[in-house]
């Protein structure tokens, strides 16, 4: 049976790796990416839909298929306005899940973050926790939540501090054992491959993968 995947956030660090995997692997016959502007990429399986995330309902009929992968996210630096940050990290992913549920998609894969906690006092980790809880409540048959730690990988934009932290984590990673192991940095490509592999499994329920577990998938 032909399968269609939908990706939101395909230009990001994890999303870009995931897009390449889905295009290269034979499991999906069509890959639809939701973009603010078209990516300079062509492939016989790829369809690009330029959308306004403020009016996601307008594109409801396009949000069909088998699995939706949500790799949306921002940072404090890029989005200092907390209201805008919450829209990107909570409102858009939740609305995508609600529309996916209405259209009968079987799977939803969400990139969250280590430390996500609905009862947390930190705005950012609390928002992630609320997003996880609200998406879980939609009732999509299979919901997979990934909580990566510090992401390693080459970003399109220059981030000197992250380059420094990448190097620092390479030194610190071997020192993190036991319950601290999940705080080791993780390659964005590893997260993307885990998302793809889990999407090929016929499972139902809610699955949460901490950073160390993602590496084992």
């Amino acid at each position: 049976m032909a399968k269609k995947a939908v990706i939101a956030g395909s230009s990001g660090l994890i999303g870009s790796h995931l897009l390449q995997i889905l295009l290269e692997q034979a499991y999906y016959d069509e890959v639809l990416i939701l973009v603010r502007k078209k990516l300079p990429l062509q492939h016989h399986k790829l369809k690009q839909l330029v959308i306004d995330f403020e009016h996601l309902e307008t594109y409801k009929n396009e949000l069909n298929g088998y699995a939706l992968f949500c790799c949306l996210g921002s940072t404090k630096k890029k989005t200092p306005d907390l209201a805008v940050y919450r829209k990107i990290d909570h409102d858009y992913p939740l609305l995508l899940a609600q529309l996916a549920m209405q259209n009968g998609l079987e799977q939803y894969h969400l990139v969250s973050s280590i430390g996500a906690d609905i009862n947390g006092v930190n705005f950012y980790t609390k928002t992630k926790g609320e997003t996880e809880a609200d998406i879980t409540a939609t009732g999509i048959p299979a919901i997979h939540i990934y909580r990566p730690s510090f992401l390693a990988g080459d970003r399109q934009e220059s981030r000197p501090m992250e380059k420094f932290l990448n190097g620092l984590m390479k030194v610190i990673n071997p020192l993190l054992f036991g319950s601290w192991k999940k705080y080791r940095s993780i390659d964005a490509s590893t997260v993307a491959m885990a998302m793809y592999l889990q999407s090929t499994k016929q499972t139902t329920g809610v699955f949460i993968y901490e950073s160390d577990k993602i590496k084992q998938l």
Side-chain angles (χ1 to χ4, degrees):
M1 184 182 294
K3 282 186 169 58
K4 172 183 174 182
V6 181
I7 308 177
S10 57
S11 62
L13 189 55
I14 294 175
S16 58
H17 283 289
L18 177 63
L19 175 58
Q20 285 302 126
I21 293 170
L22 297 188
L23 293 178
E24 292 169 359
Q25 300 296 323
Y27 192 76
Y28 290 97
D29 305 275
E30 180 182 347
V31 180
L32 171 68
I33 58 175
L34 311 178
V35 295
R36 290 188 173 89
K37 61 179 181 179
K38 282 197 172 184
L39 301 182
L41 180 64
Q42 291 186 338
H43 192 281
H44 70 275
K45 288 167 46 172
L46 177 65
K47 179 179 179 182
Q48 303 197 44
L49 179 63
V50 179
I51 68 171
D52 177 359
F53 279 90
E54 286 294 304
H55 301 93
L56 275 172
E57 300 94 335
T58 306
Y59 315 93
K60 176 184 175 181
N61 292 338
E62 296 280 354
L63 301 179
N64 53 45
Y66 180 70
L68 193 152
F69 300 88
C70 183
C71 305
L72 294 174
S74 189
T75 63
K76 300 178 189 178
K77 183 177 180 180
K78 289 177 65 175
T79 314
D81 186 318
L82 297 185
V84 176
Y85 180 93
R86 183 174 174 81
K87 273 189 177 183
I88 297 171
D89 266 52
H90 175 273
D91 298 354
Y92 298 160
L94 175 59
L95 183 52
L96 283 170
Q98 292 170 336
L99 295 174
M101 178 63 182
Q102 292 172 26
N103 284 347
L105 271 79
E106 296 184 37
Q107 297 186 3
Y108 190 98
H109 297 258
L110 173 71
V111 176
S112 184
S113 173
I114 194 166
D117 183 1
I118 193 172
N119 297 312
V121 295
N122 178 278
F123 172 82
Y124 299 97
T125 54
K126 180 178 175 65
T127 298
K128 294 289 189 183
E130 291 172 343
T131 303
E132 292 181 4
D134 291 343
I135 287 175
T136 297
T138 61
I140 295 173
I143 296 175
H144 299 263
I145 297 170
Y146 306 82
R147 293 176 175 173
S149 182
F150 179 82
L151 289 173
D154 295 325
R155 296 182 184 271
Q156 293 181 351
E157 69 270 31
S158 176
R159 294 186 181 181
M161 180 55 71
E162 288 200 4
K163 288 184 179 180
F164 168 76
L165 290 175
N166 261 317
L168 181 62
M169 290 305 296
K170 289 179 181 179
V171 176
I172 295 176
N173 283 339
L175 306 177
L176 300 174
F177 293 99
S179 61
W180 291 93
K181 194 174 181 179
K182 66 181 180 181
Y183 294 102
R184 292 179 179 179
S185 61
I186 183 171
D187 286 338
S189 59
T190 299
V191 181
M193 181 57 75
M195 295 175 74
Y196 164 70
L197 291 174
Q198 293 308 103
S199 78
T200 66
K201 298 176 181 178
Q202 306 300 313
T203 55
T204 58
V206 178
F207 306 88
I208 298 177
Y209 313 104
E210 298 289 351
S211 200
D212 54 331
K213 300 302 181 185
I214 294 174
K215 296 178 182 180
Q216 300 172 14
L217 296 177

